[in-house]
Amino acid sequence: QSAVCPHMGCVVDFNPAERSWDCPCHGSRFSADGEVFDGPAIEGLSTIEDLNADSEPDNPDSEPDNP
């Protein structure tokens, strides 16, 4: 899971006593597997696969333009 809260982009900290990811900025809390269980965030933490998909080019077969 990403350590970035989807609400405002703050870095979350793991809380071993509660087994949750807690956002220090606005109080969102996430389960150990990244599902949101206390807002204001409305989405869970991103997975590595989500982050990799977001960084891939739209058309990986296209060649860059060379002037």
Side-chain angles (χ1 to χ4, degrees):
Q1 303 303 322
S2 170
V4 176
C5 179
H7 175 240
M8 296 292 290
C10 296
V11 176
V12 297
D13 297 313
F14 189 70
N15 177 343
E18 300 284 331
R19 296 195 36 81
S20 64
W21 293 97
D22 301 344
C23 181
C25 295
H26 300 107
S28 293
R29 298 183 68 214
F30 306 87
S31 65
D33 66 354
E35 296 297 318
V36 65
F37 69 83
D38 195 13
I42 59 172
E43 298 176 11
L45 300 175
S46 296
T47 64
I48 295 300
E49 291 80 16
D50 293 339
L51 296 174
N52 287 340
D54 288 345
S55 67
E56 291 177 2
D58 290 336
N59 187 356
D61 294 330
S62 66
E63 295 290 324
D65 293 333
N66 291 326

